[in-house]
Amino acid sequence: MNTASAADGFDRLPVIDVRALTDAASSAAARKAVATQIGAACRESGFFYAVGHGVDAGLQARLEDLSRRFFALPLEEKLAIRMALGGRAWRGYFPVGGELTSGRPDRKEGLYLGAELGPEHPLVRAGTPLHGANLFPREPVGLRGAVLEYMAALTRLSHAIMSGIALSLELAEDYFIARYTSDPLVLFRIFNYPPGDSTAEDGHPIWGVGEHTDYGMLTLLKQDDAGGLQVKSRQGGQVRWVEAPPVPGSFVCNIGDMLDRMTRGIYRSTPHRVQNRAGRDRLSWPFFFDPGWTAAVRPIDSPALAGAAADDASERWDRQSVHAFQGTYGDYLLGKVGKVFPDLKTEVL
Ligand SMILES: O=C(O)CCC(=O)C(=O)O
Ligand SMILES: [Fe+2]
């Protein structure tokens, strides 16, 4: 077993071919070999690039083209589907400066999306936040279809990668689906980070998205060729921001707070941030694959996780421990989302 841990720091993110996990005909040995690489990455940095994932390149090119066409629309047209109109489902468009990470406005605009659920879905009927129908723009035609197809493909891929994470922890491959993700919470965003100065007038740096960890289980990020994603490495008392440059045909995979919690911090949800220094728009498509809303997330009992990892609440971006909180994943997520969209929280919830 690889015994690397985040305390050792890291200087690059590994590229892992996950084909054996997506191919039902692959051998147990081939699946285990991929799982071992994933386990090492989760212990070291919580980040890796997935290649060999099988998500159609044509679908991705279509999604990218349609996303660029959406952001190129006049602001009023984009505001026709602003988030305030999405109600409790928390969907729609937000303009540059509309989201706060680490307490300061991000330099990005975006479209909040998620699993498309009709009014008859039990969680929608119950008025559950973050569940419901998407707000799709009238233009460009085709964005709706591409988004729905892409979310379906990434949901399949997420189940496959989670089976590898289970194997890496010496658990049955269906460990997560049996407990947390038979009805996962699926959220998807399309971001545009416009170019601009990297320092504000008051001397503070301006981030596309400020330092944060992801809240849920697994994030699969598609990014264009602009670059600008950075991952926090810590060695002794030293912090180093490691670039996660675009790798063609890959997704950046990183684990979120819930997997950190389940593994008592041995698999790390690592802080990351974005600054667009490319001098042109940067687009990204983060897909979040999370436990069901009502799931109570519990530590995993596995010999692979022997030995306690230190709680790192004092080091985390929002000083909140992922290990101490009580309640469901939904409770945890609402607490986080309320911080990044304070006005919307008061209006909608
Ligand atoms: O746009 C990116 O590259 C990262 C976005 C991100 O970290 C997030 O949405 O959680
Ligand atoms: Fe993130």
Side-chain angles (χ1 to χ4, degrees):
M1 190 203 299
N2 185 308
T3 52
S5 80
D8 302 326
F10 57 91
D11 51 26
R12 53 179 286 279
L13 309 178
V15 178
I16 302 178
D17 186 331
V18 300
R19 192 175 317 253
L21 296 175
T22 62
D23 172 6
S26 64
S27 69
R31 301 168 77 76
K32 183 73 191 171
V34 177
T36 301
Q37 293 176 62
I38 291 178
C42 290
R43 285 166 192 265
E44 189 180 61
S45 64
F47 271 79
F48 62 94
Y49 293 94
V51 296
H53 47 66
V55 176
D56 186 64
L59 168 62
Q60 292 193 59
R62 190 152 51 90
L63 179 66
E64 178 159 353
D65 174 56
L66 291 160
S67 303
R68 284 187 196 283
R69 281 160 51 193
F70 171 72
F71 289 120
L73 293 172
L75 182 61
E76 316 82 75
E77 279 184 49
K78 293 185 277 191
L79 288 172
I81 55 160
R82 62 189 175 276
M83 287 186 79
L85 304 176
R88 296 172 76 82
W90 216 285
R91 306 291 165 88
Y93 171 76
F94 68 89
V96 174
E99 180 169 356
L100 282 72
T101 310
S102 293
R104 294 183 73 90
D106 295 335
R107 186 188 279 146
K108 67 173 180 335
E109 59 180 333
L111 193 50
Y112 266 58
L113 301 149
E116 176 75 6
L117 303 176
E120 292 311 310
H121 190 283
L123 287 171
V124 181
R125 275 168 89 139
T128 316
L130 282 84
H131 291 70
N134 288 296
L135 293 181
F136 287 111
R138 268 192 314 125
E139 302 267 351
V141 173
L143 184 60
R144 179 179 196 279
V147 163
L148 294 177
E149 205 181 315
Y150 184 80
M151 288 196 298
L154 275 269
T155 300
R156 284 193 296 276
L157 177 60
S158 298
H159 282 297
I161 292 177
M162 288 312 300
S163 70
I165 290 180
L167 280 178
S168 78
L169 292 165
E170 296 171 36
L171 303 168
E173 279 193 50
D174 69 352
Y175 181 91
F176 293 103
I177 198 166
R179 288 165 180 77
Y180 298 112
T181 53
S182 59
D183 190 13
L185 180 64
V186 166
L187 299 172
F188 177 47
R189 292 163 193 178
I190 305 179
F191 288 145
N192 178 36
Y193 300 84
D197 290 342
S198 54
T199 312
E201 277 171 15
D202 65 3
H204 276 277
I206 299 176
W207 300 104
V209 54
E211 174 179 348
H212 68 282
T213 57
D214 293 350
Y215 315 141
M217 193 115 89
L218 181 70
T219 305
L220 299 180
L221 174 87
K222 168 181 167 60
Q223 59 174 330
D224 74 3
D225 60 2
L229 173 62
Q230 302 176 346
V231 184
K232 192 177 199 173
S233 168
R234 203 178 259 289
Q235 187 156 25
Q238 292 281 91
V239 166
R240 215 156 59 82
W241 287 93
V242 175
E243 299 286 334
V247 170
S250 75
F251 295 116
V252 176
C253 296
N254 67 285
I255 59 171
D257 295 344
M258 292 305 104
L259 209 50
D260 190 307
R261 175 180 167 90
M262 283 185 237
T263 62
R264 298 192 319 279
I266 292 173
Y267 281 19
R268 288 292 177 129
S269 69
T270 301
H272 51 283
R273 66 186 187 188
V274 172
Q275 193 168 55
N276 177 10
R277 281 162 277 123
R280 60 178 189 279
D281 285 350
R282 170 188 190 262
L283 268 67
S284 74
W285 295 261
F287 174 90
F288 301 95
F289 184 79
D290 292 356
W293 186 259
T294 57
V297 175
R298 300 191 199 290
I300 293 169
D301 184 17
S302 162
L305 293 171
D311 186 5
D312 61 348
S314 62
E315 291 176 4
R316 294 187 87 89
W317 64 290
D318 61 355
R319 305 275 183 272
Q320 188 176 329
S321 172
V322 292
H323 304 286
F325 98 94
Q326 304 281 329
T328 62
Y329 178 58
D331 297 330
Y332 183 77
L333 189 56
L334 266 193
K336 294 283 191 178
V337 171
K339 280 194 191 133
V340 292
F341 286 111
D343 297 347
L344 206 62
K345 185 176 182 199
T346 338
E347 261 173 56
V348 171
L349 298 178

